[in-house]
Amino acid sequence: MMINLRRWPLFYPVVVAVIGLALTRTDLTDIPTACVLLALFIATLLWFRQYLLALLLMLGVLWGLGDLIFDASRVAVDRQWLNGDIVVTADVEKLEQLPTGRRYLLRHIRSDHDLLLPGKALLYQYRNRKHTSDVSIQAGQRISARVRWREPRNYRNPGAFDYRAWCFDRQVALIGSVRGSPEIIVSNVSWLEMQRQKVRRIISKVAAGHDNGVLSALLLGERAQITESVNRFFSASGTAHLLAISGMHIGMAAAWAFALVWFVLTRRESWIVRFPVRKIALFSAFLAAAAYASMAAWPLPAIRATVMLAAAALAWHLSSRSEPMNTLLAALALILLFDPSAIASLSLWLSFIATAALLLWALKLDRKEELAWYQRLFGGMRSLLWISLLATLATLPMIISTFGRIPVYSIPANMLMVPLYALFVMPAALLGELCALLGLDAWALGLMQFASVAVNQGLNLLSLLASLPAGELWAVAPSMLLNALYGTGMLLAGYLFWSEKQLRAAGVAAIVLTIYIVGVLFESEVKQPQWIVWDVGQGAASTLLLPGNSVVVVDAPGHSGSKFNGGTSVAAGLRYLGLSHIDVLVLSHAQSDHLGGALSLMRQVNSVGEVWLPDVADAHADKRVKAIETYAAEKHIPIHWKGRGDERLVVKSDYRLSLKVLWPPRALSLRNANNTSLVLLAGVDDQKTGGKFNLLWPGDIEIGAERALVNTGLEKVDAMLIPHHGSRSSSHQAFVQALQSDWAVAQAGFANRYGFPAKAVVERYLERGVEVKNTADGAVMIRWTGAKQGAVLQQWSINAGHRRDMARSWWQSWSAGQPH
């Protein structure tokens, strides 16, 4: 049985339109390559006299270009918004509770100078900021606040998440932090928001901790309260799709509504004869899905899923024999028509590819015979197994490329979790939500409690799977070639399956899967010594890589409760460079801007050889350090408490690495914790060429510790971090002169409020011929070429051909030239 594309009249039109949209609205290729590809596609279509398809291709290009320019007009801002603190008034579109505070999504933003922001903004209010008057702020109200604004900015690291693109596609023009407390000036909370408050109140009464966040995500689309551990368990097991309101959840809501209405209307024979039961049930299912998505404030995946459901319902209504794949293609076209930026959405393509694979499989195995109940039960279980397998195989490269994980237990996890959520969690939670809306609080509490118990059982199951061998397995970033080979191989397997050659199809799929898994587990070879100082904002993190794949990481910053921090940035960067392990993790001292992200880092690599900590009173007493000790004990990672005079020698390949602790003395106890930082000297000798270089990691030491080091003697270094991020309290004259470094790197946040690195400190290094770099301008990467004293310095930057940035710059230039 072969696929007959004539049954899918939308196939070619949708494909060419998607190609045209992708060439302009995504950064899959640079602009010159995109122009060449566009010309080749048009020439090919014209050669075969496919004039309508050529027109659709050009319409896709123009639609993507128009959407790009429109979004650029929303995020391009007047520079006056960036001039210090500004008092603004704005409507609160959405409010989220974060572990670190609150986040407001604002629109209709006007400054006290009567400037109107075209797009939206994200406003953060952190817990350590005093606020009392904002306790009743809700979505729909208009507020006034004093805000310090900045434009969205990426951390410039290898493998970094493109945050600017994320904001651009959502028309978020500015990111701000509150100064003082916001004030409510118009309290006009919508009816829908008041209903959401009822649901939040019920959830807070019956759930706390992990299940609170999961229920909020499932019912209201509010994922901010999901803890890091919950995210980790779901991601590791390949069940993260259960946490985001997507096609599965919309489908569950619709299916239960359909079943309920069908059950009620078929209780009497007269109703069956008098009413169009199937149409009423189908319409009710669509209304239930739309109501569910409305309560969740219509997140993008829910919008796409509802559009797909509407397309399917319409197709069924118009024709008794609708083609499922044609319906799926129509839904895709509708989604991209109304939201062209969705062309770059991972959730859209994960959903589309998985659904397409399942539809093709269902077409191949369609059977009409009547079965007994136990046969239907076993058939359903077998179908769920096949669905889990096909969905995993179809989306594996996208999952690994995005999340960095290999979901080893994805199939058993989905086999257990999907029925749990479909049969228990979702029905109970949805009924509880309905009861809360109707004011039946007692029923709502009971149903939510049942859903909470089911959620906890699922979490226990995922925790058990994560504890199994390879339960949390990380992959290196796969190359485009490896992904292309995987896709080609799986398409070949699918072709063989459709050609009635199932054994060959299974063999090809197994071989391709094995090659792919080996490819993403195999670490890249480090060919030359390289020192990377990461851009992690106002914090410190750096890595030394040596041939033989020795990996030394010093520090990983982060705030308590943060899901994305310096630890996640370093782990993502290492995976991008083809590495998934750490040999030595050094944590210089017990402050969040140096070790707050250490646990995240340790959990996001496959192995950590050992951890070094300063043997001082502050570190031994610190709660974050105790959490690190607990995790290290669970994973059998040795912790070494280091003091002045300790040394470690590592010999790998043709290189010899020595790590010497220069400071602090053991058991040192000072009021100033900065001066208890581990000061580490790394010496690398190339046994083959005779080349050598020294690195200095000084932590946050200040002048007192610097003087002690100068008095004991310091040798020249080739590269170093500037102590304490470039603070005036460090880097005194004698210290800088004693080291005579060639390069000095300041780790400081972009436009940080401390003014780091201090101008006087930078000048002190420059006066002695030191080349100074700042990670606020991008990660600093120094590579030693192997020749004696030969090295190359590179600073990681953003691709200048980024379409969104070019569109923003063009719009700003054009609008600046227009009369006002």
Side-chain angles (χ1 to χ4, degrees):
M1 180 180 178
M2 296 299 293
I3 297 175
N4 183 5
L5 293 181
R6 292 182 179 179
R7 298 175 62 185
W8 307 342
L10 289 179
F11 180 78
Y12 289 117
V14 171
V15 167
V16 296
V18 166
I19 290 173
L21 190 59
L23 288 174
T24 51
R25 197 56 180 81
T26 71
D27 291 298
L28 292 175
T29 64
D30 56 34
I31 293 178
T33 303
C35 292
V36 171
L37 290 174
L38 177 61
L40 288 175
F41 284 132
I42 292 176
T44 302
L45 292 172
L46 293 178
W47 177 268
F48 288 101
R49 299 183 180 181
Q50 297 294 326
Y51 304 118
L52 180 59
L53 293 182
L55 177 61
L56 286 172
L57 178 64
M58 286 305 302
L59 287 176
V61 168
L62 294 175
W63 190 243
L65 185 61
D67 183 68
L68 194 68
I69 297 301
F70 177 76
D71 283 351
S73 71
R74 313 302 290 176
V75 300
V77 298
D78 190 298
R79 306 312 294 179
Q80 294 184 58
W81 287 97
L82 308 176
N83 295 334
D85 293 355
I86 296 178
V87 176
V88 300
T89 56
D91 293 333
V92 179
E93 181 175 319
K94 189 175 182 180
L95 168 64
E96 291 180 287
Q97 296 288 346
L98 304 176
T100 54
R102 298 174 182 174
R103 180 172 69 183
Y104 307 92
L105 177 62
L106 306 179
R107 61 180 177 177
H108 304 150
I109 306 161
R110 188 177 293 276
S111 75
D112 52 357
H113 299 298
D114 207 32
L115 286 174
L116 181 64
L117 188 71
K120 300 178 182 181
L122 287 173
L123 180 62
Y124 288 83
Q125 185 172 40
Y126 299 103
R127 291 186 188 280
N128 58 347
R129 307 281 175 85
K130 294 181 179 179
H131 55 277
T132 55
S133 63
D134 60 341
V135 292
S136 60
I137 288 180
Q138 300 176 33
Q141 294 177 330
R142 189 161 183 83
I143 63 171
S144 174
R146 179 176 294 276
V147 182
R148 174 70 59 87
W149 295 110
R150 63 177 176 83
E151 292 183 294
R153 178 185 179 276
N154 287 334
Y155 284 135
R156 302 182 184 184
N157 294 311
F161 172 68
D162 196 341
Y163 182 62
R164 279 170 62 86
W166 184 89
C167 290
F168 185 100
D169 292 342
R170 288 157 181 79
Q171 299 181 0
V172 174
L174 292 172
I175 311 294
S177 56
V178 176
R179 299 293 192 263
S181 298
E183 296 180 4
I184 300 171
I185 56 176
V186 177
S187 184
N188 186 24
V189 180
S190 68
W191 176 86
L192 195 57
E193 181 59 27
M194 289 189 288
Q195 305 313 303
R196 294 191 188 107
Q197 289 288 358
K198 293 179 181 178
V199 178
R200 291 190 190 102
R201 186 178 66 253
I202 295 297
I203 292 175
S204 65
K205 287 182 178 180
V206 302
H210 299 321
D211 43 346
N212 189 322
V214 172
L215 289 176
S216 295
L218 292 177
L219 295 177
L220 302 172
E222 297 173 353
R223 301 185 60 187
Q225 295 184 59
I226 297 177
T227 62
E228 184 182 8
S229 60
V230 170
N231 269 319
R232 193 173 78 249
F233 291 149
F234 275 88
S235 298
S237 60
T239 55
H241 59 91
L242 292 174
L243 291 177
I245 296 178
S246 60
M248 178 176 291
H249 302 77
I250 296 294
M252 288 178 184
W256 278 103
F258 182 94
L260 181 62
V261 173
W262 179 276
F263 176 80
V264 171
L265 293 181
T266 55
R267 293 309 89 198
R268 292 188 179 182
E269 186 175 345
S270 59
W271 292 353
I272 298 174
V273 174
R274 184 180 303 177
F275 302 119
V277 176
R278 188 181 297 272
K279 290 183 179 180
I280 294 175
L282 190 64
F283 183 68
S284 301
F286 176 74
L287 286 181
Y292 172 46
S294 297
M295 286 299 296
W298 289 100
L300 288 177
I303 294 175
R304 296 162 191 156
T306 307
V307 169
M308 287 190 177
L309 181 64
L314 183 62
W316 181 90
H317 179 72
L318 295 177
S319 172
S320 60
R321 291 183 57 84
S322 61
E323 182 64 48
M325 276 298 298
N326 217 42
T327 301
L328 183 64
L329 290 168
L332 176 65
L334 282 172
I335 290 167
L336 295 179
L337 179 64
F338 289 103
D339 182 18
S341 66
I343 189 75
S345 167
L346 171 70
S347 63
L348 172 66
W349 292 111
L350 279 173
S351 174
F352 180 81
I353 291 172
T355 305
L358 297 175
L359 286 177
L360 290 173
W361 173 76
L363 287 173
K364 176 67 177 174
L365 300 181
D366 188 28
R367 291 185 176 90
K368 301 296 184 182
E369 64 267 20
E370 291 293 330
L371 300 174
W373 70 268
Y374 61 89
Q375 291 175 313
R376 292 197 298 271
L377 176 61
F378 285 114
M381 294 178 64
R382 184 175 58 190
S383 295
L384 182 58
L385 174 61
W386 276 106
I387 288 171
S388 300
L389 177 60
L390 283 173
T392 299
L393 292 178
T395 59
L396 186 63
M398 300 179 74
I399 291 172
I400 291 179
S401 297
T402 304
F403 301 110
R405 290 181 177 273
I406 302 176
V408 175
Y409 300 107
S410 172
I411 294 174
N414 278 283
M415 288 281 292
L416 295 168
M417 293 293 289
V418 170
L420 176 67
Y421 273 65
L423 300 177
F424 298 100
V425 176
M426 286 296 294
L430 288 172
L431 284 174
E433 182 176 48
L434 180 61
C435 289
L437 299 179
L438 296 175
L440 305 173
D441 286 3
W443 283 90
L445 284 168
L447 289 163
M448 287 290 187
Q449 187 65 53
F450 181 82
S452 175
V453 171
V455 166
N456 273 319
Q457 293 304 313
L459 289 174
N460 292 335
L461 172 65
L462 295 182
S463 176
L464 176 63
L465 291 175
S467 66
L468 297 176
E472 295 189 79
L473 191 60
W474 293 91
V476 301
S479 65
M480 290 186 65
L481 176 60
L482 186 60
N483 283 338
L485 289 174
Y486 179 89
T488 303
M490 286 301 170
L491 286 175
L492 175 60
Y495 172 80
L496 292 172
F497 179 78
W498 273 85
S499 302
E500 306 293 344
K501 299 174 182 177
Q502 283 84 355
L503 288 178
R504 292 185 184 180
V508 170
I511 292 171
V512 171
L513 180 62
T514 301
I515 293 173
Y516 188 78
I517 295 299
V518 171
V520 296
L521 285 177
F522 184 76
E523 292 190 330
S524 300
E525 181 184 356
V526 179
K527 296 181 179 179
Q528 295 173 324
Q530 186 174 16
W531 187 44
I532 306 166
V533 189
W534 306 94
D535 174 12
V536 289
Q538 191 56 41
S542 57
T543 301
L544 176 63
L545 307 178
L546 293 174
N549 285 18
S550 289
V551 180
V552 179
V553 176
V554 178
D555 288 335
H559 294 287
S560 176
S562 61
K563 298 175 185 175
F564 304 101
N565 50 48
T568 60
S569 294
V570 173
L574 287 175
R575 292 196 297 274
Y576 179 87
L577 297 173
L579 298 164
S580 59
H581 82 283
I582 297 172
D583 292 294
V584 181
L585 173 59
V586 181
L587 302 173
S588 63
H589 62 296
Q591 290 183 349
S592 61
D593 62 336
H594 287 255
L595 60 66
L599 270 179
S600 296
L601 173 59
M602 296 169 73
R603 287 170 174 155
Q604 294 187 31
V605 293
N606 285 329
S607 66
V608 177
E610 57 187 283
V611 178
W612 289 17
L613 285 159
D615 190 8
V616 296
D618 281 344
H620 282 286
D622 191 84
K623 293 181 179 179
R624 291 159 297 196
V625 172
K626 292 185 183 300
I628 292 169
E629 288 184 283
T630 300
Y631 179 80
E634 293 174 0
K635 299 298 181 181
H636 307 291
I637 302 170
I639 288 186
H640 301 296
W641 297 91
K642 297 293 183 179
R644 182 171 58 190
D646 288 337
E647 184 173 359
R648 168 77 183 277
L649 185 65
V650 178
V651 179
K652 280 195 176 182
S653 187
D654 294 320
Y655 288 84
R656 179 177 179 272
L657 168 67
S658 66
L659 296 172
K660 297 179 181 178
V661 178
L662 306 182
W663 186 265
R666 290 186 183 276
L668 181 67
S669 180
L670 298 172
R671 284 188 177 181
N672 186 350
N674 288 334
N675 277 329
T676 65
S677 298
L678 274 177
V679 178
L680 198 66
L681 178 67
V684 179
D685 295 333
D686 186 339
Q687 305 294 308
K688 184 180 293 185
T689 65
K692 61 172 59 178
F693 63 90
N694 292 335
L695 294 176
L696 183 72
W697 285 288
D700 275 354
I701 60 169
E702 299 184 7
I703 293 176
E706 289 179 355
R707 285 174 176 163
L709 287 170
V710 170
N711 292 335
T712 58
L714 287 172
E715 58 183 283
K716 180 187 182 308
V717 297
D718 297 284
M720 63 177 290
L721 289 181
I722 296 178
H724 200 191
H725 316 281
S727 165
R728 290 185 179 86
S729 62
S730 305
S731 297
H732 75 292
Q733 295 277 4
F735 182 75
V736 175
Q737 185 173 355
L739 292 169
Q740 303 177 47
S741 180
D742 296 320
W743 293 286
V745 182
Q747 287 207 274
F750 179 78
N752 67 87
R753 60 192 177 98
Y754 305 103
F756 292 163
K759 183 178 179 181
V761 170
V762 173
E763 289 177 350
R764 208 169 291 154
Y765 284 92
L766 293 176
E767 288 170 358
R768 284 160 180 76
V770 181
E771 186 174 349
V772 177
K773 293 291 181 182
N774 188 349
T775 55
D777 301 320
V780 177
M781 310 170 75
I782 301 176
R783 177 169 47 86
W784 279 267
T785 60
K788 192 172 183 179
Q789 300 299 329
V792 176
L793 185 144
Q794 172 193 0
Q795 195 145 26
W796 195 267
S797 60
I798 298 174
N799 183 7
H802 198 299
R803 283 167 175 69
R804 296 174 181 86
D805 287 337
M806 294 180 69
R808 183 190 289 108
S809 298
W810 179 87
W811 180 265
Q812 287 175 328
S813 299
W814 180 83
S815 58
Q818 298 304 300
H820 296 282

